[in-house]
Amino acid sequence: MTTGTTSADAILHRVSELLEEKLGLLPEEITPQARFKEDLGLDSLDMVELLTIMEAESGRPVDDDAAPGLATVGDVVGYLVAHGSGAQR
């Protein structure tokens, strides 16, 4: 049975909720193209919190080699699609 929502859509929705709740971002700011530092104003501490959130969602640590490449919301969604996510809750 198909609901019309892809896994990536569900994960984007979940990531958006978490960024709003944990980091106080506005929903209209959170797009797949939004860059964490330049567009959303996240600092290094916010990025650590984001990685912690990702680890909780995927159920495993974020690969050290992948972390520097996670510059946009879309990068995080792609990572969680590839590595599993708790977005189905």
Side-chain angles (χ1 to χ4, degrees), residues 28-48:
E28 59 270 14
E29 295 176 301
I30 305 167
T31 66
Q33 300 79 21
R35 297 169 296 174
F36 292 113
K37 292 181 181 178
E38 297 86 348
D39 300 328
L40 302 177
L42 273 64
D43 61 21
S44 57
L45 238 110
D46 294 327
M47 291 304 293
V48 169

Side-chain angles (χ1 to χ4, degrees), residues 19-20 33 42 64 87 89:
L19 289 170
E20 290 171 43
Q33 300 79 21
L42 273 64
D64 289 340
R89 292 180 212 169

